[in-house]
Every structure is written in C-alpha cells, then in structure tokens.
Amino acid sequence: MSAAELFSLPFMQRALLAALFTGLAAPAIGTYLVQRRLALMGDGIGHVAVTGVALGLITGWSPTWTAVIVAVLGAVLIEFIRERGHTNGDVALALLFYGGLAGGVLITGLGGQSAARLQQYLFGSITTISIEDVIVTMVLAAVVILVCVGLSPQLFAVAQDPEFARVAGLKVRAYNVLVAVLAAVSVTVAMRTVGLLLVSALMVVPVATSQQLSRTFRTTLAAAMVLGALASVGGLVISAFASYHANVAPGPTIVLLSLAGFVVTWPIGAWLRHRARLAAPFDDEPVGHEVSDEHPHQHGPDCGHVAVPHDDHVDYVHDGHRHAPHGAHYDEH
C-alpha cells in the first residue's frame, strides 16, 4: 500500500490527529515535571489511571473520562504526600502506584472484561481509536498546551525556585496542584497513543533530548513539544508501514523513536557543554585582603587603588601591596 492510500484511510487519519496532539501535550507538561525532578510522576499517575479505566469498562462509561477523574484525584493525592515531605512519603507513593495498577487489573477481571481490552490502554492502541476519543483527546490536549504555554512564567518560577516564587507573591501550592492535574490529564490523553505504562517516556524523553541542544527554558519547552510531535507521528507512520511485514505496535515504536533521538543528540550536547567550559575555564576571583606584618608600600593620590578599610591591629596585603594599621578609617589609595 502506498503512503497516499494509507493516509486516506479514516482510522489512520484519526490516529494521526491523536498522535499529533498527544505528542505536543505530553512534553509540554513533562518540561515542568523534569524541572521539578519529578520525571517519574507520570508513570505513577499512569498506574493509578488503570483503576479509572477498569471502572469505565465495567460500568459502561467512557474509560477516558473515568480515567481522567481517577488520575486527577490520584495526582492531587500524590502532590499532597510529596508536599508534606514525610519520611515514609516514598513508601506511601509506592503503595498508591502499585495499588492503582493491581486494583485496575482486579476490577477488570471481576467485571468480566478480557485482559486484551485492558491491554489497549496499558500499551496503547491508537489505530482503534474512535472519532469520539479523538475529539476528547484534542480538547484535553489543547487545554494542557494552552495552560503550559500561557502560564509558563509562573509555572517555571514555581518549578525553579519555590521560595522565590512564594516571596514574589505566587500561590506555590495552587500552581503545584495545577501541574499535577495537568500531568494527570496528559496521562489519560496519551493512554491510547503509547499506553499508560509507557506514557512517562513521552513526557520525559523529548524534554531530555531538547535539553541537550538548548540553554533557555522557553527554547527547551518549544523544542520538546516539536520533538514529541515528531516522535509520535513518526512512530505511528513507521509502525503502520512495518505492520505489513510484522506485528509492530505503535506505542513502543513511538517511545523507541523518541529514545533514538536522545541517543543521537546526546554526543552533540556533550560537545556543546565541553565548548562552553573551555570558553570560561576560570572563575573571576574576588579581590581580598591577606594578613601581613609588613607594609612596604606608601599610598598617595596617584596610587590608583580603591579606598580600603583597615583595622587598628592588623596589617593587610591588597593587590600585592601591604597596608599598615591606620586606625578604623579609609585610605584614599
């Protein structure tokens, strides 16, 4: 089948739209998670969202919306546990993550649903996505993108330096909860594209790749979104053509293509960082005083030195010249 014939198929058109919006939204929120050193938060939310999918399958409701509700609740709880900073916080998060995954599998079995149906959400099944799911994906992804770009100064300030953001008058807790909610929405948006178990890769790897080549936050954010879209659409197209010769799933192909981009750009990033270090090998050392017992230099109006405060009992060396005690005053060097 030619490329024109493949792209003319309705299911392929739906899949391309979902892949494009997913590839833009996931790295957008992933940039802030990486900035806050919460790269694996998407993976944890994905585990919790499995329970939401299972509830949707057994109740007949849309698994996407039930997953959104459960994932948002789980993300807010994760943020609360993280903010409290208890010693056993990581244990509580682990219990929440694995409990969500195990609960989802158990509920699916109790509801009489097949494991294959749940697997579509665990590892993605973008080629079977319906037009209703595409619309929901596009709307939710657009919301994530608009918020991440529109509130980028505030979200960056909170992610980079929470104490400074708090002093500047920003509601740090509210913005942290907003990031958690956006991450939950992104997870559910991407679950039909790459799957709940692989969604964290699409949120993190494009960001890590863009960081190899960019040095500003805005550039990193924009490049990550572009790389995520290219990986999603490119992985889908590659898997579609490869499926004529083997059973190639789109989700893993998208993730592996994104990882390949990181592998290619990492040596370039290492070379750029090396050049930056060579350009500024030494830090400027501040001029200071050293204690001395001698003062061979006489100061006058044409000395050329800045005024230096001296103590009554200690001699100093300043710019290679020794200063005798003159009392608590400034010499006009």
Side-chain angles (χ1 to χ4, degrees):
M1 180 180 291
S2 64
E5 293 175 336
L6 179 64
F7 294 144
S8 64
L9 297 175
F11 81 89
M12 193 63 185
Q13 295 172 356
R14 295 193 298 268
L16 286 172
L17 283 174
L20 175 62
F21 277 83
T22 301
L24 291 172
I29 188 61
T31 304
Y32 300 103
L33 296 180
V34 172
Q35 193 73 27
R36 295 174 59 193
R37 293 181 175 88
L38 296 175
L40 295 179
M41 185 174 183
D43 187 55
I45 297 175
H47 284 66
V48 176
V50 177
T51 298
V53 172
L55 291 175
L57 292 177
I58 67 171
T59 58
W61 297 345
S62 171
T64 300
W65 287 113
T66 54
V68 168
I69 296 172
V70 174
V72 167
L73 294 175
V76 173
L77 182 57
I78 291 171
E79 178 60 28
F80 175 77
I81 295 174
R82 187 199 64 81
E83 185 185 36
R84 300 286 292 182
H86 291 312
T87 304
N88 295 327
D90 57 337
V91 177
L93 292 178
L95 294 175
L96 181 63
F97 295 166
Y98 298 120
L101 178 60
V105 175
L106 180 62
I107 293 173
T108 302
L110 294 176
Q113 297 289 332
S114 64
R117 183 74 187 278
L118 183 61
Q119 189 173 356
Q120 294 179 359
Y121 297 91
L122 293 178
F123 299 101
S125 181
I126 193 172
T127 56
T128 62
I129 192 170
S130 65
I131 186 63
E132 291 80 10
D133 288 336
V134 171
I135 294 175
V136 172
T137 297
M138 292 173 62
V139 171
L140 294 179
V143 171
V144 173
I145 294 170
L146 289 176
V147 175
C148 288
V149 175
L151 295 179
S152 59
Q154 295 89 335
L155 295 178
F156 172 73
V158 172
Q160 179 69 16
D161 192 342
E163 296 302 325
F164 172 79
R166 187 174 288 106
V167 172
L170 296 178
K171 297 181 179 179
V172 175
R173 175 178 295 178
Y175 282 112
N176 284 338
V177 172
L178 177 61
V179 170
V181 171
L182 292 176
V185 174
S186 299
V187 166
T188 55
V189 164
M191 68 181 180
R192 294 300 299 272
T193 304
V194 295
L196 293 172
L197 298 184
L198 296 175
V199 63
S200 186
L202 191 59
M203 299 174 72
V204 173
V205 178
V207 179
T209 303
S210 65
Q211 287 178 335
Q212 302 300 315
L213 306 177
S214 61
R215 290 295 177 266
T216 65
F217 177 78
R218 290 185 180 274
T219 305
T220 299
L221 176 62
M225 294 173 64
V226 172
L227 291 172
L230 291 176
S232 296
V233 175
L236 174 62
V237 173
I238 291 173
S239 66
F241 281 107
S243 295
Y244 289 103
H245 307 284
N247 185 15
V248 180
T253 306
I254 292 172
V255 173
L256 290 176
L257 182 61
S258 184
L259 288 170
F262 176 80
V263 172
V264 170
T265 57
W266 183 83
I268 302 175
W271 178 70
L272 292 175
R273 290 189 294 272
H274 178 67
R275 286 194 60 185
R277 287 193 297 268
L278 292 179
F282 303 108
D283 295 330
D284 293 334
E285 296 183 359
V287 177
H289 287 80
E290 295 179 3
V291 178
S292 174
D293 295 329
E294 302 178 4
H295 183 240
H297 181 70
Q298 299 296 324
H299 300 285
D302 300 326
C303 181
H305 297 154
V306 297
V308 179
H310 299 287
D311 188 81
D312 287 332
H313 306 290
V314 183
D315 288 354
Y316 297 94
V317 173
H318 177 61
D319 288 344
H321 305 298
R322 302 185 183 278
H323 305 263
H326 303 288
H329 69 280
Y330 285 88
D331 275 340
E332 294 296 339
H333 298 172

